[in-house]
Amino acid sequence: MELMKQMEDRFTRISELARRDGVEAELLVEAGESLKLSVSEGKIEKFDASQSQVGGLRVILDGVEGYSWTEGLEGGDLESAYAEALQNAKFAKRGGPVAPAEHVTLYSGAEVTEDPSLFNDSQERFSIEEKIERAKALEREAKAVDPRIAKVPYNAYVESKGEVLVMNTKGVRARQRSSGVYCYAYCLAKQGEETRSAGETSFTRFADQVPIRETAHDAALQTIEKLGAVSPATGEYPIIIRNDVAAHFFALFKNYFSAKAVAEKTSLFATDRGQHVASPLLTITDEPRLKDGIGNRVFDAEGAPTAKVDVIKNGRLENFLTNTAYARRLGLPHTASAERSARGVLDIGFSNLVIEAGKDEFSALVKRYPKVIVITSFQGYHAGFNEGSGDFSLSAEGELWENGVKMKPLKGFVVSGSVKMLLKDIEMVSNRLCKITSSAVAPDLLIRSLAVAGSA
Amino acid sequence: MLQPSRVKKVLDVALERGAQFAELFVEDTYSSNLSLIDSKPSQAVVGRLKGAGIRVFYGHEQIYVTTNDLSEVGLLKAARTAAAGRVGTSGEVTRIEAKDFSPARFDAIHTYGTKPWEYDRDKKFSHLMRMDRAARGHSALVSQVEPMLIEKTQKILVANSEGLWAEDERNYVRVFLDVTLEEQGVQESQHARAGRLGTSEWFDTVDFEHMATDVVDRAKVLLHADFAPAGEMPVIIDNGFGGVIFHEACGHGLETTSVAKGGLGFCGKMGEKLAESCVTAIADGTIANTWGSLTIDDEGMPTKKTVLIENGVLKSYVVDGRGAKQTGFARTRSGRRQSYKYAPASRMRNTYIAAGEDRLEDMIRDIDYGIYAKDMGGGSVSPGTGEYNFAVREAWLIENGKLVKPVKGATLIGRGIETLGRITRVGNELKLQDGMCGSVSGSIPTTVGQPAILVSKMLVGGR
């Protein structure tokens, strides 16, 4: 993109200012375009097209950071943003002298080569009429599955493409383009007075491979399967967290594995590196180059090249994720896990959180106990999770299985427990990983026992 | 922000494929976030959001295009993209032109003073340190304190093809405080929030020390609480942020974005008695300098006060311009959006259950076994079914008319319209609380509120 070339030129001026002021500076630019099409009763309900650009500046003065960002990217805008970031760095210095280990500095290293697999121009090969037809097909196909599908109130065909540039005054320059297409359908089924809802999402990097029909069908079938649901009796049950739900559930507390959370005393596992914190069946990795991964990145937000990191291996906590500052501060290996949006501050995060698949078939998990609840969705993740204590109490939907046979759908219940106990109580791990629809991937997990509150 | 002649040119291009309506929303927003962690500055971020959104309508079909490029070339390009979004028509189109603008004049409801860039950063640092010191000084169990000051100045222009030209400036200030306590390996966190539609000199009036010690005291309660019991029981939801359940489980169902889809159970219920006569609910954008207030909405309409439910009877939905066209109900001037990045949608403002007559003590006294939800956490609602879930941050077990012990980990679940029908008593002390509401048009400042209410039966998830 022309913009990125201009930004590289303008950063030359920022570098001059930084040299004059005796500071280090880093520029993160994000630019992109997106299109979202939603349909209601065969007509376009939402046609949103956006063009966006933002530059984020990080200035380091005597080891402390100040930030600013701007959506105006003309020469004067960027210089004003630099001045604000410098003022903020001076504000941050009010905390007093910085201990040598906490002295923040910029990453320096070789230029990283762009990953060509993350971007293609397939979106350009389809007309707007064809894209609208895809959005309409999502609704139409879902409704055609069963007359009890009353509506598809939330559906969309979403395209996006963008580019990220990281440059700093230590010579780092890293640039990556990416593109992708999402589609989702969220159905409402009616049977008498009862209404149930469910949805399905799909992602691909290729606009000619969007599984519209499959997504619509899966959404409709999942919704129909929920009809006739009852609330279970209150008690303790063995619980299977279905693979797609497990992926979202583990993403809820992934911050525990950040070195920043360790330093800020918000990680539940702050003192557990090298210890067995989970069942030996559990292995979690960060995989920045996962096949078909959504969170793939060849460099992190500081421009450092990425690689796979073992976080938990066979139940043992091997590594916390780090950026340059926290690797230095805590004396940990640098895992190149810096994360930052142009509008935010430097943080640490997973690229793709991957829970390794086990050896058992799903059918073996549901036969493990005479009666088991399979969780098909959790709601209210953030409200129902206490990050400080690791306790959770989540509204859920699911299925009751007895002796390996699905008996009935369940609704209106709450599952409670603690993350620490849950990790240790993983009794079986299935061999089927969920479809990739987010930057977390997981198999089905059988938990020995969790508290269930229902109204039966 | 822009010359009328340029705006008219942009709207005319947006209308060139036969749209019946075109609107331009332009925004220039300055924001500042400053925070501490470990008693030192943690985040110091200033941002400048600048862009425009162009909306056109073909009947009920809406096309929305955004751009950061506010030059004439950039805006015309976005307008052409919006016009080109209309496909499938053939032959001649009936083309209209944008009317000449007539600048709107509004009464000033809110007063503003010192802007965020005029207020000294040293003073902000001093306020943050006051919270940090007060919290740490109040208990040796405090392991972490994270105070934050947020400021935002948003300048907007709304102009449309019907001749509307409305400009406004909104200022927001907010304080966040998160505190973590640790005792024998057990951690518990609590937080406080306070915010208003106003400017930075408001910080000089906040009792930061009281805010900090109160949060620490509330976290201590959690540290020594048992887990909540599980099952169905009567629940008293206290005033203030307790109103989040009405907001999420009922308020969103009253928005025409939901009504038009037939969701959440409130569609087709206008004029019906949905609750006991003690329940009256209001959405009000006119309360001076209050977090969820406005002068004009994001469609350029002067804000107003709307009675949604009166003595249990549904009187009005929350209606924006598009919702009025889709449903035929009167516009309540409730078109709102986070920024130019979102098309406006029907959204709440200061939305609350009005005060009733009961005293909280009497409500507690009349319960044999139940829960008093003193402080609510967040929650969510399924837009299709209206089923909700909410975490209770601080709860107390009621036995034989008395509060016997604090309990934690309680989650309340149910269905909005059913819970509304189970409110049997409404307290006499209304309290409002600022919050952020996320929905189709982004995250916006809204106020929730209520007096204490008694719900005769709710499912409580605990252990």
Side-chain angles (χ1 to χ4, degrees), chain A residues 140-166:
Chain A
R140 191 174 60 238
E141 294 280 354
K143 278 187 167 179
V145 169
D146 191 296
R148 290 172 293 178
I149 298 293
K151 285 174 183 292
V152 191
Y154 300 93
N155 61 78
Y157 171 86
V158 186
E159 291 180 349
S160 65
K161 55 187 174 184
E163 186 162 12
V164 175
L165 167 71
V166 182

Side-chain angles (χ1 to χ4, degrees), chain A residues 45 47 51 53 71 94 196, chain B residues 64 67-68 122 340 387:
Chain A
E45 184 196 36
F47 180 120
Q51 167 271 320
Q53 59 183 42
E71 292 188 345
R94 287 164 175 79
R196 305 304 305 154
Chain B
Y64 192 66
T67 179
N68 291 128
D122 277 336
Y340 74 89
E387 291 166 356

Side-chain angles (χ1 to χ4, degrees), chain A residues 45 47-53 67-69 71 84 88 94 151 153 196 264 380 383 386 388 393 417, chain B residues 44 46 48 50 61 64-68 121-122 144 187-188 261 322 340-341 378 387 389 391 409 411 463:
Chain A
E45 184 196 36
F47 180 120
D48 288 354
S50 77
Q51 167 271 320
S52 62
Q53 59 183 42
Y67 291 84
S68 75
W69 56 268
E71 292 188 345
E84 287 279 13
N88 282 336
R94 287 164 175 79
K151 285 174 183 292
R196 305 304 305 154
E264 292 176 352
N386 183 333
S393 188
Chain B
V46 163
R48 189 83 181 268
K50 209 172 179 179
E61 292 189 7
Y64 192 66
V65 178
T66 67
T67 179
N68 291 128
R121 280 180 170 91
D122 277 336
Q144 192 55 276
Q187 279 193 350
E188 288 293 349
K261 289 174 184 286
R322 186 186 194 195
Y340 74 89
K341 294 177 190 294
E387 291 166 356
N389 62 87
T411 293
R463 295 193 212 173

Side-chain angles (χ1 to χ4, degrees), chain B residues 224-236:
Chain B
H224 301 117
D226 289 337
F227 285 105
E232 286 188 313
M233 59 193 81
V235 176
I236 294 172

Side-chain angles (χ1 to χ4, degrees), chain A residues 55-360:
Chain A
L57 273 161
R58 182 163 70 116
V59 166
I60 301 176
L61 169 65
D62 298 334
V64 298
E65 303 160 293
Y67 291 84
S68 75
W69 56 268
T70 176
E71 292 188 345
L73 293 178
E74 298 303 314
D77 293 328
L78 212 54
E79 287 181 30
S80 298
Y82 167 80
E84 287 279 13
L86 182 60
Q87 286 303 313
N88 282 336
K90 288 177 179 170
F91 164 82
K93 272 195 75 178
R94 287 164 175 79
V98 181
E102 295 181 18
H103 199 279
V104 178
T105 186
L106 292 176
Y107 170 77
S108 62
E111 185 167 324
V112 186
T113 309
E114 180 175 4
D115 178 354
S117 73
L118 300 184
F119 178 82
N120 63 71
D121 62 0
S122 58
Q123 294 170 19
E124 318 303 329
R125 293 182 215 139
F126 298 90
S127 67
I128 192 67
E129 286 86 351
E130 288 171 306
K131 292 169 185 177
I132 288 173
E133 172 50 29
R134 288 174 173 200
K136 288 182 175 176
L138 266 175
E139 185 193 47
R140 191 174 60 238
E141 294 280 354
K143 278 187 167 179
V145 169
D146 191 296
R148 290 172 293 178
I149 298 293
K151 285 174 183 292
V152 191
Y154 300 93
N155 61 78
Y157 171 86
V158 186
E159 291 180 349
S160 65
K161 55 187 174 184
E163 186 162 12
V164 175
L165 167 71
V166 182
M167 299 185 74
N168 73 26
T169 49
K170 284 191 169 174
V172 163
R173 181 193 167 282
R175 194 170 161 175
Q176 177 70 55
R177 290 174 300 163
S178 63
S179 59
V181 184
Y182 274 99
C183 69
Y184 63 84
Y186 185 95
C187 303
L188 192 70
K190 281 194 176 175
Q191 186 167 265
E193 290 298 301
E194 183 188 15
T195 56
R196 305 304 305 154
S197 63
E200 180 66 30
T201 299
S202 297
F203 171 81
T204 172
R205 293 204 184 271
F206 296 94
D208 50 359
Q209 294 176 12
V210 187
I212 296 288
R213 190 162 187 274
E214 293 84 346
T215 306
H217 278 225
D218 288 352
L221 291 174
Q222 286 182 47
T223 313
I224 294 298
E225 282 179 5
K226 289 187 174 185
L227 287 169
V230 296
S231 181
T234 298
E236 296 276 333
Y237 292 82
I239 298 282
I240 294 171
I241 307 178
R242 198 175 68 186
N243 54 12
D244 56 324
V245 184
H248 285 104
F249 180 74
F250 273 66
L252 186 66
F253 54 87
K254 62 185 180 182
N255 197 43
Y256 286 154
F257 305 110
S258 153
K260 187 165 184 245
V262 172
E264 292 176 352
K265 308 178 191 75
T266 55
S267 170
L268 214 54
F269 302 107
T271 58
D272 293 334
R273 186 162 174 253
Q275 304 295 311
H276 283 87
V277 297
S279 154
L281 297 172
L282 186 72
T283 291
I284 299 177
T285 57
D286 181 29
E287 296 198 31
R289 298 166 195 225
L290 179 70
K291 183 177 181 303
D292 300 326
I294 289 180
N296 284 10
R297 58 190 185 206
V298 289
F299 57 87
D300 73 355
E302 293 182 283
T306 56
K308 181 176 173 179
V309 181
D310 289 329
V311 177
I312 292 179
K313 194 169 179 65
N314 300 326
R316 185 175 184 267
L317 179 55
E318 299 287 343
N319 283 297
F320 290 109
L321 301 181
T322 61
N323 56 23
T324 51
Y326 284 93
R328 177 176 169 155
R329 184 166 168 179
L330 299 183
L332 295 170
H334 179 218
T335 63
S337 305
E339 198 171 71
R340 166 158 102 94
S341 78
R343 294 181 183 83
V345 299
L346 194 67
D347 204 334
I348 294 171
F350 280 82
S351 54
N352 296 294
L353 183 158
V354 179
I355 302 178
E356 196 174 272
K359 291 180 180 156
D360 290 307

